[in-house]
Amino acid sequence: MSRKRLDLTLAFLRSLDRTASPQDVSDLLLRLLGRFGIEHALAGTLPIIGAQPRQQYEHALLDAMPTDWKARYLSRGYLFRDATVRHLGEANAPFAWSDIAGRYREDPAALRIMNEAGEHGLRHGVTVPLLTLD
């Protein structure tokens, strides 16, 4: 690791240490990811199947998603019909949404979710599975 990269990493960690809320962490992360063209991000754990929208949202750890899309997604119960979420059960490596296009193009509900996400500015994305103890 170069000295410059180490300095940038330490500066990021100091900034992270100064955050006071999950929203501050989301904002900081988005500023960093924005350098790579990323405008929105969500990190969380998966709730149990059948969890109510409020319970689903409680699993979000970092939330930097469009508010209108989040409300629509939760109110319509899209979580477990979303092809990207369903693919997490089989994935252990990051994947682009385009990598699983066949999966949602053959499922009318999943295709509707992807199309509606696009209408809210979420046309392309990457999902990174992270294993937890749960």
Side-chain angles (χ1 to χ4, degrees):
M1 178 181 285
S2 71
R3 179 63 192 190
K4 181 178 180 180
R5 287 183 188 226
L6 177 61
D7 289 344
L8 289 172
T9 301
L10 292 173
F12 175 77
L13 292 174
R14 282 191 295 275
S15 297
L16 189 59
D17 191 46
R18 289 190 296 270
T19 60
S21 70
Q23 187 60 50
D24 289 348
V25 174
S26 292
D27 294 344
L28 179 64
L29 182 61
L30 264 188
R31 280 195 302 277
L32 175 69
L33 295 174
R35 298 176 192 167
F36 305 101
I38 296 172
E39 299 174 6
H40 305 288
L42 177 70
T45 59
L46 289 176
I48 60 169
I49 294 175
Q52 296 301 311
R54 181 181 173 142
Q55 294 167 317
Q56 292 175 17
Y57 186 70
E58 290 172 356
H59 285 259
L61 304 172
L62 295 173
D63 177 8
M65 296 299 281
T67 305
D68 56 340
W69 172 242
K70 181 174 37 187
R72 181 181 193 98
Y73 190 91
L74 290 171
S75 70
R76 294 190 175 198
Y78 284 170
L79 182 68
F80 296 108
R81 294 182 298 181
D82 184 331
T84 63
V85 172
R86 289 198 332 256
H87 189 70
L88 286 171
E90 305 163 14
N92 58 7
F95 59 92
W97 295 351
S98 59
D99 293 344
I100 62 165
R103 179 172 217 161
Y104 62 79
R105 286 191 183 127
E106 296 173 9
D107 178 342
L111 181 59
R112 183 178 64 249
I113 293 166
M114 293 303 282
N115 287 337
E116 289 180 21
E119 293 168 10
H120 288 84
L122 303 166
R123 288 179 183 80
H124 306 282
V126 174
T127 298
V128 180
L130 300 173
L131 298 177
T132 67
L133 294 177
D134 291 334

